[in-house]
Amino acid sequence: MSRDDLPLVLGIETSCDETGVGLVRGCTLLGEDVASSVEQHVRFGGVVPEVASRAHLEAMVPTVRRALDKAGAAPSDVDAVAVTAGPGLAGALLVGVSAAKAYAMALDVPLYGVNHLVGHVAVDQLEHGPLPKPAVALLVSGGHTSLLLVEDLATRVRSLGDTVDDAAGEAYDKVARLIGLPYPGGPPIDRAAREGDPGAIRFPRGKWGDGTYDFSFSGLKTAVARWVEDAGRTGEDLPVPDIAAGFQESVVDVLTRKAVDACVDNGVEHLVISGGVAANSRLRALAEERCAKAGVELRVPRPKLCTDNGAMIGALGAEVVAAGLPPSRLDLATDTSLPVTMPLAP
Ligand code: KG4
Ligand code: ZN
């Protein structure tokens, strides 16, 4: 098949607070658009599911139109529709899946319900080309922190480890709140940490050297809370940059150490880091340093592709179509806890 013969896949993502639409052919992103409701959640310090669902409903059709325009494509050019079937917020997923069913039916093309988490890994192909097999993936987002062994994006993804409590992004968001930085906490902590000394306060490293690929961030969050409380009692000014830098160092130290160990232990030469937290500048720098030392090739998509978007779902959809897997039925259900081992929803 030549490049132009590959099917044009319309990817739709609505698992959390971003309405994302991407048009993908093979490993090429032709156009995408994202509408975010994050501003509507800021004053609540976290995503309000009902608010997110309504925002998806309002943004869906205009976002599809903008993505098609950017791709220079007409609706009739679309060969298949892929949509996030899970995991995610129930109401939010439902909006995307309902829209995808309507588009697939109206355009008379097959529908594929795919896994949001595997999409975060698949998106890297749009930037760096086909993913070598096997690869290890470190998936770090607001809702998930997992180490995966990816033998085939469409058919074989194994879980090596997971967080036992908070996700890495969740830890950023909670700690930001503790030290008076806005939601979502990742970007402001990333920025504040650049002004601080990562060695000034040494915070604990959860599940360090425990022989597993699992993570834990709730002890770290409690340690920061205690530090803030103590400072409040003595009336000291909070050294926000140093706390941010110390906290961040603890998170990225464990993430990168375990990810590189997973590659070395499994004889895998390629590591992909993706999900919202992969936008973190210190995580990217330390991963580069440690991968270079271990002889592992690192792939990190550009920050815009790391956070939730429709291109990632189009990318995984294209893989699933290429693998010849059967399309989903039109009664495809959403699954708020779809396991990462299922790239295509049952
Ligand atoms: O993947 P994502 O956009 O949504 C989920 O599927 O969860 O990830 C959102 C998370 C938030 O917790 C946010 O604070 C975090 O990614 N994040 C960052 C950075 N940018 C976003 N964390 C650390 N450093 C960043 N620069
Ligand atoms: Zn995500």
Side-chain angles (χ1 to χ4, degrees):
M1 229 187 224
S2 83
R3 254 188 129 65
D4 282 349
D5 291 336
L6 294 172
L8 180 65
V9 181
L10 170 72
I12 297 179
E13 152 65 30
T14 64
S15 68
C16 192
D17 57 347
E18 262 93 35
T19 313
V21 178
L23 285 135
V24 172
R25 203 188 282 284
C27 290
T28 306
L29 174 60
L30 298 173
E32 67 152 339
D33 200 74
V34 176
S36 177
S37 63
V38 68
E39 292 300 326
Q40 297 179 50
H41 308 290
V42 168
R43 68 194 171 102
F44 302 104
V47 176
V48 183
E50 286 75 13
V51 173
S53 304
R54 175 153 298 271
H56 286 309
L57 206 54
E58 287 165 0
M60 179 57 63
V61 173
T63 309
V64 169
R65 282 211 188 108
R66 281 193 297 269
L68 281 166
D69 282 351
K70 288 182 186 172
S76 56
D77 296 329
V78 171
D79 297 304
V81 177
V83 62
T84 301
L89 302 169
L93 289 169
L94 205 56
V95 177
V97 167
S98 305
K101 286 177 181 176
Y103 280 112
M105 241 174 111
L107 300 172
D108 194 22
V109 297
L111 169 75
Y112 296 86
V114 301
N115 191 306
H116 176 83
L117 305 177
V118 184
H120 270 303
V121 184
V123 78
D124 183 67
Q125 299 204 127
L126 303 180
E127 183 153 348
H128 298 117
L131 190 67
K133 299 176 185 184
V136 165
L138 171 65
L139 174 59
V140 273
S141 71
H144 297 270
T145 301
S146 312
L147 265 171
L148 310 172
L149 182 63
V150 182
E151 290 171 311
D152 187 293
L153 279 165
T155 56
R156 216 169 143 70
V157 177
R158 282 171 38 203
S159 173
L160 296 172
D162 233 301
T163 179
V164 297
D165 40 56
D166 292 347
E170 194 180 353
Y172 268 92
D173 296 340
K174 287 178 176 170
V175 163
R177 195 173 195 165
L178 287 172
I179 60 177
L181 294 176
Y183 172 85
I189 289 185
D190 198 349
R191 277 193 298 273
R194 281 180 215 148
E195 313 297 319
D197 172 4
I201 311 167
R202 188 173 165 90
F203 287 116
R205 273 119 172 101
K207 299 192 76 61
W208 180 262
D210 69 342
T212 74
Y213 299 121
D214 289 334
F215 302 99
S216 167
F217 297 109
S218 72
L220 169 62
K221 177 193 62 194
T222 307
V224 175
R226 216 169 280 144
W227 217 97
V228 172
E229 261 172 44
D230 288 349
R233 256 197 300 277
T234 55
E236 284 169 54
D237 276 348
L238 214 53
V240 170
D242 284 347
I243 299 177
F247 158 77
Q248 176 160 282
E249 204 58 23
S250 166
V251 173
V252 304
D253 191 11
V254 186
L255 289 175
T256 53
R257 176 63 54 91
K258 291 207 176 198
V260 171
D261 282 354
C263 293
V264 173
D265 298 350
N266 289 282
V268 173
E269 290 169 3
H270 301 271
L271 172 67
V272 186
I273 306 184
S274 192
V277 183
N280 185 265
S281 60
R282 179 64 185 142
L283 174 63
R284 293 167 93 99
L286 190 59
E288 235 161 63
E289 193 184 307
R290 290 186 169 166
C291 281
K293 255 192 210 139
V296 171
E297 196 192 307
L298 178 66
R299 296 165 58 121
V300 192
R302 57 183 179 270
K304 202 169 165 240
L305 292 181
C306 286
T307 47
D308 290 351
N309 61 78
M312 61 192 248
I313 301 308
L316 179 55
E319 276 294 305
V320 164
V321 175
L325 299 180
S328 308
R329 293 169 17 150
L330 275 182
D331 63 356
L332 167 72
T334 56
D335 183 347
T336 55
S337 50
L338 185 64
V340 71
T341 48
M342 285 186 171
L344 181 64

